[in-house]
Amino acid sequence: CHTWEEADGKFGCHCETESSCAMTRGAWKVNTCGDRVSEWDTFEHKMLQGAEAAGTCSGMSTSWGEDLVNFINWPAEKCCSSYPATVCDKEAGKESEVPLEVAVFDNVEYYVCPDPTANCICSKSKVDEGHCGGPPGCWHEKDYETCVMHHDRWMGAVPEPEREDESAYDGESSYQSAYGGESAYSSETAYGLAR
C-alpha cells in the first residue's frame, strides 16, 4: 500500500488489493476511474486540457509539483484502454511492434536477444510469466554465478573451473565435465541467442 497525508492532517493509503488493505487495518473502498478523476483539482483538469491542446505534457506539473507525465501514467494504466497512449503521448504503443524471434537451445525456448552486450538470458516461459524485465529477457549480468544462480542461461564466455592441483587438470575434458559438457556450453550455444 502507498500512504499519503494531506496538509489538514488527513491521511490514508492506496492499496492494490482488499487483502493488502486489511493488513494495514484500513477500510477497503473501491475507487473507480471516475472517482479518481473527480478527485483532481481544477488546476490538474486545466493542465490536462492544456496538454491535450499542446499534444504533450512536456514541462508541465501538478499543483504539488509532480511531473504531469508521472501523474497521468498510473490512472491511465489502470483505466484507459488506449494505454500506453495518454494525453501526454498519444502515439505511445503505436509503433509497429516487430514480433520477437524465438530460438530453442537444449529444448528450452528463448527470445532472440538483440543486445550484443547481454550475457544472461531468461527462458521464454519465465519472460512470458512477467519475470526478467519483460521481453526479450536478456541483460548484462556482473558474473556467471549470478546469472546461473537464478536458473538463467549464461551467454558470455564460460569461466574456467577452479582447480586445486594444476597437474590433475587434463585440459578440455575437465572443463567440459565441470560445466555440463560441450553441448551445453559450446561457443554456438553461448553466443547463439544474441544478435
Side-chain angles (χ1 to χ4, degrees), residues 119-120 140-149 154:
N119 60 10
C120 192
H140 188 273
E141 188 60 75
K142 67 179 181 173
D143 57 38
Y144 169 84
E145 289 80 17
T146 305
C147 177
V148 299
M149 164 173 64
W154 179 253

Side-chain angles (χ1 to χ4, degrees), residues 36 44 60-72:
R36 181 79 175 164
E44 280 65 48
M60 298 180 177
S61 57
T62 63
S63 58
W64 57 90
E66 182 178 1
D67 182 70
L68 198 56
V69 173
N70 188 55
F71 169 74
I72 200 64

Side-chain angles (χ1 to χ4, degrees), residues 17-76:
T17 64
E18 188 171 359
S19 61
S20 62
C21 181
M23 290 171 51
T24 66
R25 295 193 169 101
W28 178 253
K29 176 188 176 277
V30 175
N31 191 329
T32 67
C33 295
D35 293 337
R36 181 79 175 164
V37 171
S38 68
E39 293 170 355
W40 298 344
D41 292 331
T42 303
F43 182 87
E44 280 65 48
H45 286 283
K46 288 188 178 191
M47 266 309 207
L48 290 169
Q49 289 168 353
E52 176 81 32
T56 181
C57 294
S58 181
M60 298 180 177
S61 57
T62 63
S63 58
W64 57 90
E66 182 178 1
D67 182 70
L68 198 56
V69 173
N70 188 55
F71 169 74
I72 200 64
N73 194 57
W74 188 86

Side-chain angles (χ1 to χ4, degrees), residues 112-171:
V112 174
C113 181
D115 181 357
T117 66
N119 60 10
C120 192
I121 191 167
C122 286
S123 67
K124 180 181 179 298
S125 62
K126 278 178 74 174
V127 173
D128 290 347
E129 291 170 0
H131 304 289
C132 309
C138 59
W139 64 95
H140 188 273
E141 188 60 75
K142 67 179 181 173
D143 57 38
Y144 169 84
E145 289 80 17
T146 305
C147 177
V148 299
M149 164 173 64
H150 300 290
H151 307 286
D152 298 322
R153 178 179 279 282
W154 179 253
M155 299 188 307
V158 179
E160 290 190 31
E162 293 182 20
R163 304 182 293 275
E164 290 182 19
D165 181 8
E166 275 298 315
S167 63
Y169 179 66
D170 67 352

